[in-house]
């Protein structure tokens, strides 16, 4: 990732002896942070367009091993500076990203205990980031243990919020839209694949949290650059509408083990009165550090298919046999066991997928259930069930990789850890070496089930460190990582761009289990996607899951046209076409959009947006003049009136429009779509009607 610094003027305006707080305003002047130490307590507030958007809120920590950091502070100085650079991500929604902010640093002493703690605020045109910093010099806190971070976010009213329940181990929930005063844990509808529903408070929610004030201001709270720290939740005092941070505990109930010099992740506030700005914000990426890898030529966006939906929706098995009640790693000779007939990760079926991928321009084929251990994958021996290098007898690693490579396709590795990070770390070096030796360059990993070491949580500091360790170890072997059930992303893909995807939310797999709420994909871009791309696995063409598996209760709550739109509205450099090849063959004309759509972009525009209602995005494919447009709507449907003014003036294009048919409906008639062609220019306007739970997709290419 090259950094091209266009202007970078550092102006030190403050002085070491300042005794008063200070203001810092965004470059465009619409957002102002006031920060001060009031009666010994660090305090901040935020104004947007001259009105409060965060009321005075206090900052501090309780500690497990010493006096608290909640008061007794003296302000020793303030410094302000300005920063402006434009940088180029390895992959992304835009080829160039501007990082422009004004900064305020508050330095503070806690004289009674000879301690120092600083606060750094960065104020952008699209919001605010701030973090705590603990310098090493002259600071009596060399090591300290956080019992709780007590960062307040005092809201100005009973806003509308899009939220999921607080939980240390899963984010796989349906979203709820309600007033803040109505937040109550809503765990119904979550079949948590992490098997642990650890709600911590009746008014606790996860981030990223999207809100809207009655005055029409959108406010999002999340975090950026979560490294060596526990993931933050928010606990609401619903009498006063004040959120306070609530970190994920470790096995002892502590929340952070710190050694100075160190700092917390950034606490982020994205703010605008135009919902589209929430989606085009780069604040979280900008608050992360530049890329740490010198060579990134091996990192490439991936469009893939997989041996996956057959198990998730079709009721087939990851395991090779039913005969092994419990597996001890390396002690079972599988060739002596009877295979069951339902194991899709077999040579013949994988070849079928390789052919399908090659014939339709996909880069990779994911194969789950290829390796020994699934017979007892989250049972009593899960700490030693997988070694990640031993295939089942019906999966010929060399022959299948050779065949895939001969057809211009790669296989995608799968590492299910079943939550045993300890077992994964034990085997990681040989597992990544095995991948490199066999020509794999990407891995989908997973953390289903309670974490081992016992008592740790998916979102605690220990696991946060594990996920990043996996990413940096994988980089040494030029491997890209897509981790499921991992902590929610916080923009780390800027620094480590081989982190090409995460799940960390309720994905398409739930359409096969119980169905997602029809508004789901109009909320995710405002919430989960703020921190980084999601492996949402769209592209379901057969919504009636009973047709694949008579036992299933699942129904994909979307029209077919909306499934196409998701490749544009759910930005990710990693996109799966999740349905079975035979379902794509049934709807070959609609499948053409998935074949055509890009996975990397030079430019992105959000044309229409409202959380929980609709999202319409237009993106220009990297290195081309082709545009793709997608719109996804809630159960209320939507009417779009699009201006194509993003096209080059004076040029003619052909638009292929994949729209809901007039009688389409996500429940009763999801497969009704109409494909039409039109010549368009930058002056064209398109009127499109979206069905309940529907959407549309458009590909636009210049006419030669
Ligand atoms: C849950 C993941 O989300 C899913 O994609 C995967 O197939 C299973 N775990 C098995 O690893
Ligand atoms: Ca999952």
């Amino acid at each position: 990732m090259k950094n091209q610094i266009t202007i970078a003027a550092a102006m030190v305006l403050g002085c070491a002896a300042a005794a008063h707080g200070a203001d810092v305003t965004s470059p465009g002047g619409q957002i102002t942070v006031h920060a001060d130490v009031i009666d010994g307590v660090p305090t901040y507030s935020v104004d947007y367009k001259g009105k409060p958007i965060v009321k005075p809120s206090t900052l501090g920590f309780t500690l497990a091993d010493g006096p608290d950091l909640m008061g007794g502070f003296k302000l020793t100085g303030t410094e302000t500076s300005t920063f402006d650079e434009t940088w180029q991500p390895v992959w992304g929604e835009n080829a160039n990203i501007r990082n422009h902010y004004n900064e305020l640093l508050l330095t503070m002493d806690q004289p009674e205990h000879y301690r120092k703690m600083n606060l750094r605020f960065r104020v952008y045109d699209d919001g605010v980031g701030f973090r705590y910093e603990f310098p090493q010099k002259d600071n009596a806190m060399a090591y300290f243990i956080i019992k709780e971070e007590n960062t307040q976010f005092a809201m100005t009213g009973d806003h509308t919020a899009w939220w999921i329940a607080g939980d240390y181990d899963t984010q796989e929930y349906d979203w709820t839209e309600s007033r803040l005063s109505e937040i109550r844990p809503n765990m119904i509808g979550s079949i948590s694949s992490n098997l642990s529903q650890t709600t911590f408070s009746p008014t606790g929610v996860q981030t990223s949290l999207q809100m809207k004030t009655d005055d029409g201001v959108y406010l999002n709270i999340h975090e950026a650059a979560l490294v060596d720290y526990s993931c933050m939740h928010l606990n609401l005092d619903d009498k006063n509408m004040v959120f306070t941070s609530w970190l994920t505990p470790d096995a002892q109930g502590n929340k952070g083990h710190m050694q100075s010099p160190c700092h917390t992740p950034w606490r982020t506030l994205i703010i605008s009165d135009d919902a589209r700005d929430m989606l085009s914000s780069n604040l979280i990426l900008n608050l992360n550090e530049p890329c740490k890898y010198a060579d990134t030529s091996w990192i490439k966006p991936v469009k893939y298919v997989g041996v996956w939906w057959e198990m998730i929706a079709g009721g087939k098995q990851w395991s090779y046999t039913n005969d092994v009640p419990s597996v001890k790693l390396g002690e079972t000779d599988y060739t002596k066991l009877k295979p069951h007939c339902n194991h899709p990760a077999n040579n013949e079926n994988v070849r079928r997928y390789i052919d399908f991928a090659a014939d339709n321009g996909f880069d990779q084929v994911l194969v789950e259930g290829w390796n020994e251990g699934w017979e007892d994958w989250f049972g009593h021996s899960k700490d030693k069930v997988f070694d990640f290098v031993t295939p089942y007898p019906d999966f010929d690693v060399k022959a299948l990789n050779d065949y895939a490579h001969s057809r211009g396709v790669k296989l995608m590795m799968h590492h299910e850890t079943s939550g045993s990070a300890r077992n994964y770390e034990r085997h990681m070096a040989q597992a990544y070496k095995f991948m490199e030796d066999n020509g794999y360059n990407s891995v989908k990993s997973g953390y289903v089930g309670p974490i081992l070491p016992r008592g740790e949580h998916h979102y605690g500091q220990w696991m946060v460190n594990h996920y990043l360790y996996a990413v940096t170890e994988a980089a040494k072997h030029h491997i890209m990582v897509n981790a499921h059930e991992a902590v929610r992303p916080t923009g780390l893909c800027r620094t480590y761009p081989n982190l090409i995807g995460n799940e960390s939310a309720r994905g398409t797999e739930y359409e096969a289990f119980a169905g997602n709420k029809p508004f789901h994909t109009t909320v995710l871009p405002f919430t989960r996607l703020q921190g980084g791309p999601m492996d949402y696995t769209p592209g379901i063409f057969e919504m009636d899951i009973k047709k694949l598996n008579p036992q299933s209760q699942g129904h994909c709550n979307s029209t077919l046209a909306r499934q196409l739109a998701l490749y544009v509205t759910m930005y990710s450099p990693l996109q799966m076409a999740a349905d079975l090849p035979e379902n794509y063959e049934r709807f070959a004309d609609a499948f053409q959009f998935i074949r055509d759509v890009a996975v990397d972009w030079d430019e992105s525009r959000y044309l229409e947006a409202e959380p929980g209602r609709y999202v319409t995005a237009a993106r220009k494919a990297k290195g081309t003049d082709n545009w793709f447009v997608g719109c996804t709507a809630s159960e209320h449907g939507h009417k779009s009136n699009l201006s194509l003014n993003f096209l080059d003036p004076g040029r003619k294009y052909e638009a292929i429009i994949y729209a809901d048919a007039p009688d389409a409906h996500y429940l009763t008639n999801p497969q009704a779509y109409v494909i039409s062609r039109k010549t368009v220019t930058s002056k064209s306007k398109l009127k499109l009607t979206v069905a309940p739970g529907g959407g549309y997709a458009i590909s636009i290419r210049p006419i030669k």
Side-chain angles (χ1 to χ4, degrees):
M1 211 175 290
K2 281 181 289 162
N3 281 330
Q4 185 203 349
I5 299 188
T6 48
I7 318 166
M11 310 177 302
V12 178
L13 301 177
C15 62
H20 302 292
D23 289 357
V24 57
T25 294
S26 56
Q30 296 195 328
I31 300 176
T32 301
V33 170
H34 318 276
D36 204 349
V37 175
I38 300 174
D39 297 332
V41 181
T43 305
Y44 78 101
S45 60
V46 184
D47 289 352
Y48 173 66
K49 292 193 176 172
K51 285 192 185 159
I53 183 72
V54 179
K55 295 199 294 186
S57 300
T58 59
L59 299 161
F61 295 83
T62 42
L63 300 185
D65 59 347
D68 292 339
L69 293 163
M70 297 297 291
F73 283 100
K74 232 181 81 202
L75 187 63
T76 55
T78 59
E79 290 172 20
T80 56
S81 59
T82 289
F83 187 80
D84 190 357
E85 71 167 17
T86 298
W87 58 280
Q88 290 75 40
V90 173
W91 42 260
E93 296 186 77
N94 292 287
N96 295 297
I97 296 178
R98 187 171 179 194
N99 184 8
H100 187 195
Y101 59 81
N102 292 329
E103 182 173 285
L104 168 67
L105 177 70
L106 250 65
T107 56
M108 299 177 296
D109 276 357
Q110 199 188 31
E112 195 186 338
H113 305 295
Y114 306 101
R115 290 150 147 196
K116 287 187 190 307
M117 181 172 88
N118 300 337
L119 283 166
R120 192 180 296 275
F121 292 87
R122 289 188 179 163
V123 186
Y124 296 79
D125 286 335
D126 52 351
V128 177
F130 63 92
R131 71 181 186 189
Y132 302 84
E133 298 181 349
F134 303 93
Q136 187 180 29
K137 195 167 173 293
D138 301 330
N139 192 351
M141 287 194 305
Y143 301 93
F144 57 104
I145 300 173
I146 294 172
K147 199 155 173 237
E148 192 58 88
E149 176 185 324
N150 301 303
T151 300
Q152 288 187 342
F153 303 87
M155 299 293 96
T156 54
D158 190 7
H159 306 329
T160 301
W162 290 265
W163 58 273
I164 53 174
D167 192 312
Y168 304 138
D169 289 286
T170 186
Q171 285 217 281
E172 297 181 4
Y173 291 117
D174 259 328
W175 295 85
T176 297
E177 175 181 320
S178 79
R179 290 280 173 175
L180 292 178
S181 56
E182 293 163 343
I183 289 178
R184 287 297 175 270
N186 175 11
M187 329 246 336
I188 305 154
S190 163
I191 315 165
S192 167
S193 63
N194 300 334
L195 306 175
S196 161
Q197 297 187 337
T198 46
T199 194
F200 55 80
S201 149
T203 54
V205 297
Q206 306 199 35
T207 71
S208 128
L209 174 70
Q210 178 64 47
M211 289 171 281
K212 184 181 182 183
T213 71
D214 286 350
D215 294 342
V217 179
Y218 300 86
L219 171 63
N220 181 290
I221 304 180
H222 191 37
E223 59 181 316
L226 172 59
V227 177
D228 197 12
Y229 200 81
S230 291
C231 168
M232 178 180 74
H233 305 260
L234 297 172
N235 197 22
L236 179 69
D237 163 357
D238 60 359
K239 300 281 168 303
N240 298 302
M241 301 302 157
V242 177
F243 284 108
T244 307
S245 55
W246 184 299
L247 303 179
T248 307
D250 68 11
Q252 284 76 42
N254 293 318
K255 303 207 163 178
H257 292 259
M258 312 293 283
Q259 180 183 0
S260 62
C262 58
H263 53 77
T264 65
W266 297 96
R267 277 62 189 96
T268 62
L269 301 158
I270 306 175
I271 306 164
S272 177
D273 53 13
D274 185 334
R276 296 173 300 179
D277 296 342
M278 308 304 285
L279 304 181
S280 55
S281 169
N282 288 308
L283 181 123
I284 288 176
L285 285 179
N286 278 331
L287 285 166
N288 276 269
E289 286 177 26
C291 179
K292 289 217 196 270
Y293 305 142
D295 171 23
T296 55
S297 59
W298 49 278
I299 300 172
K300 301 253 177 334
V302 177
K303 207 198 285 188
Y304 74 105
V305 291
V307 176
W308 182 69
W309 199 238
E310 293 186 57
M311 288 90 89
I312 294 285
K316 295 184 182 173
Q317 303 298 314
W318 282 264
S319 61
Y320 172 74
T321 170
N322 293 324
D323 288 0
V324 185
S326 92
V327 179
K328 286 213 179 66
L329 189 62
E331 284 182 18
T332 307
D333 182 356
Y334 277 83
T335 59
K336 301 224 165 72
L337 298 171
K338 191 165 153 278
H340 59 64
C341 54
N342 250 344
H343 181 235
N346 66 67
N347 291 316
E348 194 191 332
N349 198 35
V350 173
R351 276 178 169 256
R352 183 170 76 96
Y353 276 85
I354 292 170
D355 287 336
F356 181 77
D359 293 347
N360 293 290
F362 289 89
D363 305 299
Q364 303 210 355
V365 177
L366 164 72
V367 186
E368 295 198 7
W370 69 278
N371 59 326
E372 285 187 4
W374 288 90
E375 285 71 14
D376 186 31
W377 66 297
F378 47 172
H380 63 273
S381 66
K382 80 168 190 174
D383 194 26
K384 42 191 182 310
V385 71
F386 293 114
D387 68 5
F388 312 99
V389 296
T390 311
Y392 283 133
D394 57 350
F395 185 89
D396 186 332
V397 176
K398 181 164 185 334
L400 288 170
N401 277 288
D402 286 350
Y403 182 63
H405 300 161
S406 78
R407 297 232 45 203
V409 171
K410 281 187 192 294
L411 294 186
M412 185 184 291
M413 178 49 78
H414 183 233
H415 291 164
E416 175 54 64
T417 69
S418 57
S420 181
R422 184 161 61 184
N423 184 54
Y424 194 34
E425 288 187 4
R426 241 182 244 146
H427 291 95
M428 201 176 269
Q430 63 163 2
Y432 292 160
K433 171 85 170 40
F434 174 86
M435 285 180 59
E436 210 180 348
D437 292 346
N438 287 288
Y440 290 86
N441 74 349
S442 68
V443 59
K444 170 181 171 181
S445 55
Y447 296 86
V448 174
I451 296 297
L452 290 173
R454 246 174 256 290
E456 293 296 337
H457 290 290
H458 283 77
Y459 306 153
Q461 185 180 16
W462 198 92
M463 284 303 291
V464 163
N465 288 343
H466 166 86
Y467 304 126
L468 187 54
Y469 176 67
V471 169
T472 53
E473 286 302 294
K476 294 178 185 163
H477 300 266
H478 289 182
I479 290 168
M480 300 180 280
V481 176
N482 162 28
H484 278 221
E485 294 89 30
V487 71
R488 45 194 166 273
T490 56
L492 285 174
C493 57
R494 174 179 180 189
T495 315
Y496 307 98
N498 66 319
L499 177 57
I500 50 166
N502 277 118
E503 184 191 46
S504 309
R506 192 179 173 99
T508 297
E509 62 183 355
Y510 279 81
E511 303 280 21
F513 308 153
N516 291 335
K517 287 186 184 173
F519 84 165
H520 196 57
T521 53
T522 65
V523 180
L524 288 173
F526 287 94
T527 53
R528 163 62 184 77
L529 298 193
Q530 292 292 6
M534 175 170 181
D535 184 28
Y536 188 69
T537 70
I540 303 308
F541 281 13
E542 180 49 73
M543 315 300 160
D544 184 359
I545 309 298
K546 271 201 175 54
K547 293 211 170 120
L548 278 71
N549 176 10
Q551 259 87 60
S552 172
Q553 299 301 311
H555 185 272
C556 180
N557 290 326
S558 161
T559 66
L560 192 150
R562 181 222 246 182
Q563 289 293 308
L564 304 179
L566 297 176
Y567 292 88
V568 186
T569 59
M570 297 280 292
Y571 165 67
S572 174
L574 176 78
Q575 290 284 13
M576 184 181 203
D579 210 335
L580 309 178
E582 45 272 41
N583 288 334
Y584 292 134
E585 278 151 11
R586 280 167 62 203
F587 302 99
D589 54 354
F591 182 55
Q592 187 61 41
F593 183 83
I594 301 180
R595 296 177 50 151
D596 292 342
V597 71
V599 279
D600 202 11
W601 311 96
D602 276 335
E603 201 181 325
S604 292
R605 308 262 184 115
Y606 289 91
L607 307 179
E608 307 173 307
E610 180 63 17
R613 299 293 180 276
Y614 51 84
V615 171
T616 310
R619 304 188 196 275
K620 189 174 179 218
K622 185 135 228 145
T624 76
D625 290 323
N626 303 336
W627 285 81
F628 293 85
V629 179
C631 171
T632 158
S634 71
E635 62 273 31
H636 305 297
H638 179 58
K639 283 197 189 319
S640 285
N641 197 350
L642 299 185
S643 160
L644 303 188
N645 59 10
F646 50 84
L647 298 176
D648 289 345
R651 210 164 173 189
K652 279 190 178 165
Y653 297 78
E654 183 191 46
I656 308 176
I657 304 168
Y658 304 75
D660 291 325
D663 58 346
H665 188 284
Y666 75 96
L667 275 180
T668 51
N669 197 14
Q671 289 165 325
Y673 60 86
V674 180
I675 301 176
S676 58
R677 287 166 192 268
K678 264 200 173 118
T679 300
V680 296
T681 68
S682 63
K683 297 210 170 89
S684 301
K685 301 252 187 287
L686 291 181
K687 279 194 180 175
L688 293 156
T689 300
V690 181
Y696 57 79
I698 313 174
S699 68
I700 306 176
R701 286 167 208 249
I703 296 171
K704 299 242 157 66

CSV table of all heavy atoms in Angstrom, one decimal, residues 58 60 148-154 200 205 232-237 242-247:
chain,number,residue,atom,x,y,z
A,58,THR,N,-17.8,11.5,30.3
A,58,THR,CA,-16.5,11.3,31.0
A,58,THR,C,-15.8,10.1,30.5
A,58,THR,O,-16.3,9.2,29.9
A,58,THR,CB,-16.8,11.1,32.5
A,58,THR,OG1,-17.7,10.0,32.7
A,58,THR,CG2,-17.5,12.4,33.1
A,60,GLY,N,-12.4,7.2,31.4
A,60,GLY,CA,-11.5,6.7,32.5
A,60,GLY,C,-11.6,5.2,32.6
A,60,GLY,O,-12.3,4.5,31.8
A,148,GLU,N,-12.3,-2.4,33.9
A,148,GLU,CA,-13.3,-1.9,32.9
A,148,GLU,C,-12.9,-0.6,32.3
A,148,GLU,O,-12.3,0.3,33.0
A,148,GLU,CB,-14.7,-1.7,33.6
A,148,GLU,CG,-15.8,-1.5,32.6
A,148,GLU,CD,-16.0,-2.7,31.6
A,148,GLU,OE1,-16.7,-3.6,32.0
A,148,GLU,OE2,-15.4,-2.6,30.5
A,149,GLU,N,-13.1,-0.4,31.0
A,149,GLU,CA,-13.0,0.9,30.4
A,149,GLU,C,-14.3,1.6,30.6
A,149,GLU,O,-15.4,1.0,30.3
A,149,GLU,CB,-12.7,0.8,28.9
A,149,GLU,CG,-12.6,2.1,28.2
A,149,GLU,CD,-12.4,2.0,26.7
A,149,GLU,OE1,-11.6,1.1,26.3
A,149,GLU,OE2,-13.0,2.8,26.0
A,150,ASN,N,-14.3,2.8,31.1
A,150,ASN,CA,-15.6,3.6,31.3
A,150,ASN,C,-15.7,4.8,30.4
A,150,ASN,O,-15.8,5.9,30.9
A,150,ASN,CB,-15.6,4.0,32.8
A,150,ASN,CG,-15.6,2.7,33.7
A,150,ASN,OD1,-16.4,1.8,33.6
A,150,ASN,ND2,-14.6,2.7,34.5
A,151,THR,N,-15.7,4.5,29.1
A,151,THR,CA,-15.9,5.6,28.2
A,151,THR,C,-17.3,5.9,28.0
A,151,THR,O,-18.1,5.0,27.6
A,151,THR,CB,-15.2,5.2,26.8
A,151,THR,OG1,-13.8,5.0,27.1
A,151,THR,CG2,-15.4,6.3,25.8
A,152,GLN,N,-17.8,7.1,28.2
A,152,GLN,CA,-19.2,7.4,28.0
A,152,GLN,C,-19.4,8.0,26.7
A,152,GLN,O,-18.6,8.7,26.1
A,152,GLN,CB,-19.6,8.5,29.1
A,152,GLN,CG,-19.8,7.9,30.5
A,152,GLN,CD,-20.4,8.9,31.4
A,152,GLN,OE1,-20.4,10.1,31.1
A,152,GLN,NE2,-20.9,8.5,32.5
A,153,PHE,N,-20.6,7.7,26.2
A,153,PHE,CA,-21.1,8.3,24.9
A,153,PHE,C,-22.5,8.8,25.3
A,153,PHE,O,-23.5,8.0,25.3
A,153,PHE,CB,-21.2,7.4,23.8
A,153,PHE,CG,-19.9,6.7,23.4
A,153,PHE,CD1,-19.5,5.5,24.1
A,153,PHE,CD2,-19.1,7.2,22.4
A,153,PHE,CE1,-18.3,4.9,23.8
A,153,PHE,CE2,-17.9,6.5,22.1
A,153,PHE,CZ,-17.5,5.4,22.8
A,154,ALA,N,-22.6,10.1,25.7
A,154,ALA,CA,-23.9,10.6,26.2
A,154,ALA,C,-24.8,11.1,25.0
A,154,ALA,O,-24.4,12.1,24.4
A,154,ALA,CB,-23.7,11.7,27.2
A,200,PHE,N,-24.7,-9.8,28.7
A,200,PHE,CA,-24.1,-9.4,29.9
A,200,PHE,C,-24.9,-8.3,30.6
A,200,PHE,O,-24.7,-8.0,31.7
A,200,PHE,CB,-22.7,-8.8,29.7
A,200,PHE,CG,-22.7,-7.7,28.6
A,200,PHE,CD1,-23.1,-6.4,28.9
A,200,PHE,CD2,-22.3,-8.0,27.3
A,200,PHE,CE1,-23.0,-5.4,27.9
A,200,PHE,CE2,-22.3,-7.0,26.3
A,200,PHE,CZ,-22.7,-5.8,26.6
A,205,VAL,N,-25.5,-3.7,24.0
A,205,VAL,CA,-25.5,-3.9,22.6
A,205,VAL,C,-24.0,-4.0,22.1
A,205,VAL,O,-23.1,-3.6,22.7
A,205,VAL,CB,-26.2,-2.8,21.8
A,205,VAL,CG1,-27.7,-2.7,22.2
A,205,VAL,CG2,-25.5,-1.4,22.0
A,232,MET,N,-15.0,-3.9,22.3
A,232,MET,CA,-15.9,-3.1,23.1
A,232,MET,C,-17.3,-3.3,22.8
A,232,MET,O,-17.7,-3.4,21.7
A,232,MET,CB,-15.6,-1.6,22.8
A,232,MET,CG,-16.4,-0.6,23.5
A,232,MET,SD,-16.1,1.1,23.1
A,232,MET,CE,-16.8,1.3,21.5
A,233,HIS,N,-18.1,-3.4,23.9
A,233,HIS,CA,-19.6,-3.4,23.8
A,233,HIS,C,-20.1,-2.1,24.4
A,233,HIS,O,-19.3,-1.4,25.0
A,233,HIS,CB,-20.2,-4.6,24.5
A,233,HIS,CG,-19.7,-5.9,24.1
A,233,HIS,ND1,-20.4,-6.7,23.2
A,233,HIS,CD2,-18.5,-6.5,24.4
A,233,HIS,CE1,-19.7,-7.8,23.0
A,233,HIS,NE2,-18.5,-7.7,23.7
A,234,LEU,N,-21.4,-1.8,24.3
A,234,LEU,CA,-21.9,-0.6,24.9
A,234,LEU,C,-23.0,-1.0,25.8
A,234,LEU,O,-23.9,-1.8,25.4
A,234,LEU,CB,-22.4,0.3,23.8
A,234,LEU,CG,-21.4,0.8,22.8
A,234,LEU,CD1,-22.1,1.6,21.6
A,234,LEU,CD2,-20.4,1.7,23.5
A,235,ASN,N,-23.0,-0.4,27.0
A,235,ASN,CA,-24.1,-0.6,27.9
A,235,ASN,C,-24.9,0.7,28.1
A,235,ASN,O,-24.3,1.7,28.4
A,235,ASN,CB,-23.5,-1.1,29.3
A,235,ASN,CG,-24.5,-1.8,30.1
A,235,ASN,OD1,-25.6,-2.2,29.6
A,235,ASN,ND2,-24.3,-1.8,31.4
A,236,LEU,N,-26.2,0.6,28.0
A,236,LEU,CA,-27.0,1.9,28.0
A,236,LEU,C,-27.6,2.1,29.3
A,236,LEU,O,-28.3,1.2,29.9
A,236,LEU,CB,-28.1,1.8,26.9
A,236,LEU,CG,-29.0,3.0,26.8
A,236,LEU,CD1,-28.2,4.2,26.2
A,236,LEU,CD2,-30.2,2.7,25.9
A,237,ASP,N,-27.4,3.3,29.8
A,237,ASP,CA,-28.2,3.8,31.0
A,237,ASP,C,-29.4,4.4,30.3
A,237,ASP,O,-29.4,5.5,29.8
A,237,ASP,CB,-27.4,4.8,31.8
A,237,ASP,CG,-28.2,5.7,32.7
A,237,ASP,OD1,-29.5,5.6,32.7
A,237,ASP,OD2,-27.7,6.5,33.4
A,242,VAL,N,-27.2,7.4,28.2
A,242,VAL,CA,-25.8,7.4,28.2
A,242,VAL,C,-25.2,6.0,28.0
A,242,VAL,O,-25.5,5.1,28.8
A,242,VAL,CB,-25.2,8.0,29.5
A,242,VAL,CG1,-23.7,8.0,29.5
A,242,VAL,CG2,-25.7,9.4,29.7
A,243,PHE,N,-24.5,5.8,26.9
A,243,PHE,CA,-23.8,4.5,26.7
A,243,PHE,C,-22.4,4.6,27.5
A,243,PHE,O,-21.8,5.6,27.5
A,243,PHE,CB,-23.5,4.3,25.3
A,243,PHE,CG,-24.6,3.9,24.4
A,243,PHE,CD1,-25.2,4.8,23.5
A,243,PHE,CD2,-25.1,2.6,24.5
A,243,PHE,CE1,-26.2,4.4,22.7
A,243,PHE,CE2,-26.2,2.2,23.7
A,243,PHE,CZ,-26.8,3.1,22.8
A,244,THR,N,-22.1,3.4,28.1
A,244,THR,CA,-20.7,3.3,28.6
A,244,THR,C,-20.1,2.1,28.0
A,244,THR,O,-20.7,1.0,27.9
A,244,THR,CB,-20.7,3.2,30.2
A,244,THR,OG1,-21.5,4.3,30.7
A,244,THR,CG2,-19.3,3.2,30.7
A,245,SER,N,-18.8,2.2,27.7
A,245,SER,CA,-18.1,1.0,27.1
A,245,SER,C,-18.1,-0.2,28.1
A,245,SER,O,-18.1,0.0,29.3
A,245,SER,CB,-16.7,1.4,26.8
A,245,SER,OG,-16.0,1.9,27.9
A,246,TRP,N,-18.1,-1.3,27.5
A,246,TRP,CA,-18.1,-2.6,28.3
A,246,TRP,C,-17.2,-3.6,27.6
A,246,TRP,O,-17.6,-4.1,26.5
A,246,TRP,CB,-19.5,-3.1,28.5
A,246,TRP,CG,-19.7,-4.2,29.3
A,246,TRP,CD1,-19.2,-5.5,29.1
A,246,TRP,CD2,-20.5,-4.3,30.5
A,246,TRP,NE1,-19.7,-6.3,30.1
A,246,TRP,CE2,-20.5,-5.6,31.0
A,246,TRP,CE3,-21.3,-3.4,31.2
A,246,TRP,CZ2,-21.1,-6.1,32.1
A,246,TRP,CZ3,-22.0,-3.8,32.3
A,246,TRP,CH2,-21.9,-5.2,32.8
A,247,LEU,N,-16.1,-3.9,28.1
A,247,LEU,CA,-15.1,-4.7,27.3
A,247,LEU,C,-15.4,-6.2,27.6
A,247,LEU,O,-16.0,-6.6,28.6
A,247,LEU,CB,-13.7,-4.4,27.7
A,247,LEU,CG,-13.2,-2.9,27.6
A,247,LEU,CD1,-11.8,-2.8,28.0
A,247,LEU,CD2,-13.4,-2.5,26.1
